[in-house]
């Protein structure tokens, strides 16, 4: 039976998604970077990275998926600390700008 171009292309995209999913999973395990950082690195959205890691990877490579799951759970457990640190840095930077402005205004 003949295959249409669209069915061959769809299978190719599927292979590409599988490859990307494995690469993203390995990258997370090796670097322990955040989903946001990996999304930027791979040129995809955070939603795509999350879907690849939590939905697709367990079907493709369950062992890698378990390692990824542990890292994601750790990131989730410390996100309140990371968020608090970001806010602290933001306000510290704003205070410094304000102080610099006051000094130069005199």
């Amino acid at each position: 039976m003949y295959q249409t171009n669209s069915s061959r292309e769809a299978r190719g995209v599927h292979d590409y998604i599988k490859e990307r999913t494995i690469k993203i999973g390995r990258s997370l395990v090796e670097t322990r970077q955040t989903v946001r950082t990996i999304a930027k690195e791979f040129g995809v959205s955070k939603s795509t990275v999350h879907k690849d890691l939590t939905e697709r990877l367990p079907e493709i490579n369950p062992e890698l998926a378990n390692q990824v799951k542990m890292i994601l759970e750790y990131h989730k457990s410390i996100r309140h600390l990371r968020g608090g640190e970001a806010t602290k840095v933001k306000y510290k930077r704003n205070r410094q700008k304000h102080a610099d402005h006051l000094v130069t205004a005199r």
Side-chain angles (χ1 to χ4, degrees), residues 12 14-24 42 60:
H14 188 67
D15 291 344
Y16 168 74
I17 292 172
K18 280 184 178 181
E19 288 175 23
R20 181 192 67 214
T21 299
I22 291 170
K23 285 179 184 177
I24 287 174
F42 281 85
I60 299 168

Side-chain angles (χ1 to χ4, degrees), residues 38-78:
I38 289 177
K40 287 179 185 175
E41 185 179 305
F42 281 85
V44 295
S45 71
K46 293 183 302 180
S47 298
T48 298
V49 170
H50 195 265
K51 184 169 187 164
D52 282 354
L53 295 176
T54 60
E55 295 178 23
R56 294 183 178 120
L57 191 58
E59 295 176 6
I60 299 168
N61 188 333
E63 186 178 329
L64 181 59
N66 284 333
Q67 294 173 7
V68 165
K69 183 178 180 182
M70 290 173 53
I71 294 166
L72 291 177
E73 287 174 355
Y74 171 73
H75 284 173
K76 188 174 182 180
S77 73
I78 64 164

Side-chain angles (χ1 to χ4, degrees), residues 9 19 28 35 37-39 42 53 61 72 81 95-97 100-101:
E9 288 171 9
E19 288 175 23
L28 180 74
V35 169
T37 304
I38 289 177
F42 281 85
L53 295 176
N61 188 333
L72 291 177
L81 300 173
R95 275 195 307 259
Q96 186 61 44
K97 284 181 185 178
D100 291 346
H101 177 69

